[in-house]
Amino acid sequence: MQMLENLIITYINTALLEPEDAGAVNADTELLLEGFVDSISVVHLVNFVAQELGYEVSPEDVTIENFGTARLLSAYLAERGVQAPAGAPAA
């Protein structure tokens, strides 16, 4: 699950954050509550999961319980058998 978590963190830090915030997100950063991710960013994150990990997130699963932190999102995905692709960053 660590590779999956790191892949999500890397995506958020490089693709979703403003340049001045790049690198600010870790596994336990409250993405929505701390304002790092907004509703449009969540759509991009859902699309990333579909494109890069091959898993279609159900609309009813797009909740703060599943998308609140990178750790929560990676746990949600791991519970559904999603794994990081070969070559994903390990740390």
Side-chain angles (χ1 to χ4, degrees), residues 52-69:
E52 298 298 320
L53 303 175
Y55 182 77
E56 295 289 331
V57 178
S58 299
E60 61 268 9
D61 287 342
V62 181
T63 64
I64 199 160
E65 291 81 13
N66 294 331
F67 281 75
T69 67

Side-chain angles (χ1 to χ4, degrees), residues 38-52:
D38 61 14
S39 59
I40 298 300
S41 297
V42 170
V43 172
H44 288 290
L45 192 50
V46 168
N47 188 52
F48 170 78
V49 169
Q51 296 295 316
E52 298 298 320

Side-chain angles (χ1 to χ4, degrees), residues 12-87:
I12 292 168
N13 278 315
T14 59
L16 298 183
L17 298 186
E18 295 296 325
E20 62 270 13
D21 292 329
V25 167
N26 63 47
D28 296 311
T29 302
E30 293 285 346
L31 301 173
L32 297 159
L33 297 177
E34 292 182 28
F36 287 105
V37 174
D38 61 14
S39 59
I40 298 300
S41 297
V42 170
V43 172
H44 288 290
L45 192 50
V46 168
N47 188 52
F48 170 78
V49 169
Q51 296 295 316
E52 298 298 320
L53 303 175
Y55 182 77
E56 295 289 331
V57 178
S58 299
E60 61 268 9
D61 287 342
V62 181
T63 64
I64 199 160
E65 291 81 13
N66 294 331
F67 281 75
T69 67
R71 188 178 313 275
L72 289 171
L73 178 54
S74 63
Y76 161 81
L77 294 169
E79 288 171 3
R80 285 149 182 81
V82 178
Q83 296 179 352

